[in-house]
Amino acid sequence: MIRISISSNVSNKNISVGLNDVLCVLPSFKFNLSNWREVLFWGEELSFIEQAIIDLIKELEKKRVFDNSRLVPYVELNYGGDIWKLNYRNETDFKIGIFISLFNLTRRAIDCDGFLILFNRTFLDGMIDGNVFAILKEGRGVSAIDIYNEVLSLAKNNRIVSPISADTIGHSIEKLLDWGFIDRGKEVDSYKITAKGYMLQM
């Protein structure tokens, strides 16, 4: 399944879902599902998305079933001025939650004359080492050497993090630069995250 992150230039809200969960509300667009990196929506397209989400929530609500006999963890979301308590163990409630979150993000983008951007997490995860990106994003490393040392330090204290080679770091930095997620800093061999980089969740 292709995982995507949906973000906006006017909100720090980010939604991470499967592509198939949101294709039904997006304007038709063509791209190669195996290697697309990002897609931008703005202007009239956002209004189209907003109405499609509203219609979908109404359809899903008809199929919503509650089981109040069990204690279940509810998630509270604001939609249309009402607080919805959603049971994420229920598939319909989970989908409603996705679309309410997407609606709220879209509404804010419309109100602030912004845009939505979809990042193909599956493709990006295969091209960029997540630890390299996280270190740059958190400002813990500004050079390739800093990043290498930070990953080594993390690997010693966290079994989930594995040491990586200098080649992997170099490849990740090259891709992040090419795709506009980082810029070169003022110092030699230094890098800084860009506005688009802050929008991407890895």
Side-chain angles (χ1 to χ4, degrees):
M1 177 175 66
I2 295 177
R3 300 290 298 174
I4 63 174
S5 284
I6 306 170
S7 191
S8 171
N9 65 326
V10 296
S11 173
N12 60 7
K13 174 76 174 176
N14 182 275
I15 306 167
S16 182
V17 292
L19 179 63
N20 291 337
D21 291 329
V22 296
L23 274 179
C24 53
V25 300
L26 298 175
S28 59
F29 56 95
K30 296 180 180 179
F31 52 83
N32 185 332
L33 289 179
S34 64
N35 62 12
W36 67 280
R37 185 176 71 249
E38 61 197 58
V39 181
L40 191 70
F41 292 103
W42 59 285
E44 293 181 2
E45 290 177 318
L46 290 180
S47 295
F48 178 94
I49 293 172
E50 179 186 39
Q51 187 56 53
I53 297 169
I54 292 171
D55 294 341
L56 188 62
I57 291 173
K58 289 178 180 177
E59 287 300 311
L60 284 174
E61 174 63 4
K62 297 174 185 176
K63 303 174 184 177
R64 196 167 171 216
V65 177
F66 278 116
D67 181 359
N68 291 321
S69 63
R70 295 180 299 134
L71 291 175
V72 293
Y74 285 99
V75 175
E76 293 188 354
L77 293 176
N78 187 308
Y79 173 67
D82 296 324
I83 299 298
W84 286 45
K85 289 188 175 181
L86 300 172
N87 170 13
Y88 274 11
R89 292 181 183 174
N90 177 289
E91 183 178 352
T92 300
D93 272 23
F94 182 72
K95 287 185 178 292
I96 290 174
I98 289 174
F99 294 121
I100 287 179
S101 297
L102 182 54
F103 170 82
N104 290 337
L105 189 63
T106 304
R107 182 70 259 167
R108 179 154 174 75
I110 291 172
D111 290 343
C112 298
D113 194 26
F115 60 79
L116 295 183
I117 186 165
L118 278 63
F119 296 109
N120 182 345
R121 282 280 310 280
T122 300
F123 174 75
L124 291 171
D125 286 347
M127 299 296 289
I128 300 168
D129 185 90
N131 292 317
V132 172
F133 183 71
I135 290 167
L136 283 163
K137 194 170 185 179
E138 294 172 14
R140 301 203 310 269
V142 294
S143 71
I145 295 296
D146 292 334
I147 294 168
Y148 182 77
N149 290 334
E150 184 66 25
V151 172
L152 283 180
S153 176
L154 288 172
K156 289 179 181 178
N157 300 309
N158 188 339
R159 293 181 180 179
I160 299 175
V161 179
S162 300
I164 56 177
S165 69
D167 287 344
T168 299
I169 292 173
H171 176 79
S172 293
I173 288 174
E174 179 183 335
K175 292 299 182 184
L176 288 166
L177 281 169
D178 287 347
W179 295 336
F181 295 119
I182 62 173
D183 277 334
R184 295 188 184 278
K186 294 181 180 180
E187 304 296 327
V188 176
D189 189 35
S190 67
Y191 308 95
K192 58 182 180 180
I193 206 82
T194 63
K196 188 169 78 169
Y198 276 114
M199 292 169 63
L200 174 63
Q201 300 289 328
M202 293 282 289

